[in-house]
Amino acid sequence: MRIPLSERARGTTTRDRVYQAIRDAIVCAELEPGRRLSENELAERLGVSRTPVREALARLREERLVAVVPQRGTFVTKIDPDAVADAAFVREALECNAVRLATLNATEDDIAALRANLAAQEEAAERDDAAAFDELDDDLHRIICGLSGRDVAWWLSQRVRGQLDRVRRLSIPEPGYRAEMIAEHHRLIDAIEARDPERAEQVMRHHLQMVLSSMPTLRAEHPDFFEPEEDG
């Protein structure tokens, strides 16, 4: 776990860099579900004081990525399928509306930027670079939300999707997953370029629902990462 140099170069605050580094470590399971977190250890690993770590953990608690257990400490939460479904519901509502507006607003330069991102995704997939692919995938959706002219769409999506991002990250190494994601991104950009908001929304909705369809397989492969299923 580290704070990327790119984050330092952007001039973001230490508090935000620490939050993002810990969040990324949880999402990619470097800090695995169920793990007990130490403020001192995290501060030492990130080269910061305990204050930004404490603030970051408070934010992550709001996102249901960490939990405080009285008399025991702070732990990385296990993946809660209900929380994943909640996040997917919110993200679908926001991004399906955003892509309709993006279809009407996108310029030729915007389409070129989306195509460039997609080419980089294909290169990352060929290198088997899951982290780079995940970041590029996220960037594509961020660009589309930005093209809608409603910046709040991306901000709200980010606030609720912590548990969903964990499932997305686990899905990336699955056979065929990246290829299908790239194919759907092609269809999505094609619909935007064709100025077809109905088609763009349809593709986006199907695309976002892919994550939920992978849940049974991921639960079987990583049972310790998920909250146990309730009896009955």
Side-chain angles (χ1 to χ4, degrees):
M1 184 174 58
R2 61 188 177 84
I3 299 176
L5 291 176
S6 59
E7 289 297 319
R8 299 177 189 271
R10 288 174 187 166
T12 54
T13 65
T14 298
R15 178 179 60 185
D16 288 341
R17 292 196 297 266
V18 169
Y19 158 77
Q20 193 63 54
I22 298 174
R23 186 186 189 280
D24 289 346
I26 292 173
V27 166
C28 74
E30 180 183 349
L31 295 174
E32 68 277 8
R35 177 168 177 166
R36 187 177 186 277
L37 300 175
S38 162
E39 287 184 9
N40 287 334
E41 179 185 346
L42 291 171
E44 183 177 352
R45 290 176 66 177
L46 293 170
V48 297
S49 70
R50 289 177 57 188
T51 298
V53 171
R54 187 178 304 116
E55 292 172 345
L57 293 178
R59 291 173 66 180
L60 293 166
R61 184 182 181 186
E62 292 178 359
E63 296 180 31
R64 294 192 277 185
L65 292 175
V66 304
V68 177
V69 180
Q71 309 304 318
R72 293 188 59 199
T74 300
F75 295 81
V76 177
T77 59
K78 294 196 174 185
I79 299 172
D80 181 349
D82 286 338
V84 173
D86 287 346
F89 176 84
V90 173
R91 186 181 185 193
E92 187 175 324
L94 292 167
E95 294 200 34
C96 285
N97 278 286
V99 77
R100 292 184 67 92
L101 293 172
T103 300
L104 302 176
N105 296 338
T107 66
E108 290 185 7
D109 286 344
D110 295 327
I111 300 296
L114 292 170
R115 297 283 185 200
N117 172 284
L118 189 50
Q121 287 184 39
E122 292 171 334
E123 292 174 2
E126 289 177 4
R127 298 195 309 270
D128 196 26
D129 189 338
F133 182 87
D134 184 49
E135 184 174 350
L136 288 161
D137 175 28
D138 217 37
D139 282 346
L140 182 75
H141 287 268
R142 177 182 53 77
I143 292 169
I144 290 171
C145 282
L147 292 177
S148 74
R150 296 289 182 264
D151 292 338
V152 70
W154 185 249
W155 182 80
L156 287 173
S157 177
Q158 289 292 96
R159 289 280 306 217
V160 302
R161 54 184 272 193
Q163 293 267 13
L164 181 63
D165 282 348
R166 300 167 84 181
V167 175
R168 286 178 54 245
R169 191 64 174 78
L170 283 175
S171 299
I172 287 175
E174 291 295 307
Y177 183 82
R178 275 173 281 188
E180 181 58 26
M181 292 277 281
I182 289 170
E184 293 224 325
H185 286 158
H186 273 291
R187 291 191 284 271
L188 186 60
I189 297 171
D190 287 345
I192 294 172
E193 187 170 27
R195 312 297 179 191
D196 187 341
E198 286 75 20
R199 177 61 178 160
E201 179 182 350
Q202 180 184 31
V203 174
M204 178 68 85
R205 194 175 304 279
H206 181 270
H207 178 64
L208 295 178
Q209 291 173 351
M210 279 181 60
V211 175
L212 295 181
S213 69
S214 69
M215 288 276 286
T217 299
L218 295 175
R219 182 189 281 276
E221 292 179 349
H222 308 278
D224 293 341
F225 283 12
F226 288 80
E227 290 285 356
E229 293 184 278
E230 294 183 4
D231 294 335

